[in-house]
Amino acid sequence: MHQEPTWTKPCTCGAKISRWHGQSEVSCNRCGTEYNVSGQRLRSGWRANPSTWDDDINDLEGFELAHANDL
């Protein structure tokens, strides 16, 4: 049985990227830009956002905390 990707799209750099069933985030092989399971581009440094793993911190607060640590 031939399986098709759940989505295929051009990356912001122009390379073609595909997400296959069972994958979480996918990264572009050319530039490293990451996309979520729905195909939305993720911010660089998104893994440093504590809202990724802490349910008590919302996304905006986590974004601010991640950038405050860069100062």
Side-chain angles (χ1 to χ4, degrees):
M1 183 169 134
H2 180 69
Q3 186 179 4
E4 297 291 322
T6 55
W7 55 259
T8 298
K9 65 187 287 179
C11 179
T12 55
C13 72
K16 179 180 163 184
I17 56 172
S18 298
R19 187 238 178 217
W20 297 86
H21 181 75
Q23 285 183 303
S24 55
E25 301 82 29
V26 293
S27 299
C28 175
N29 289 332
R30 184 189 298 169
C31 71
T33 300
E34 293 182 280
Y35 295 83
N36 69 11
V37 296
S38 300
Q40 296 172 314
R41 186 180 63 81
L42 297 169
R43 291 187 303 262
S44 61
W46 70 271
R47 294 175 194 272
N49 185 332
S51 70
T52 304
W53 64 86
D54 188 337
D55 292 337
D56 294 329
I57 298 175
N58 67 43
D59 187 48
L60 181 57
E61 183 182 16
F63 180 76
E64 292 171 344
L65 288 168
H67 285 285
N69 290 334
D70 290 339
L71 298 177

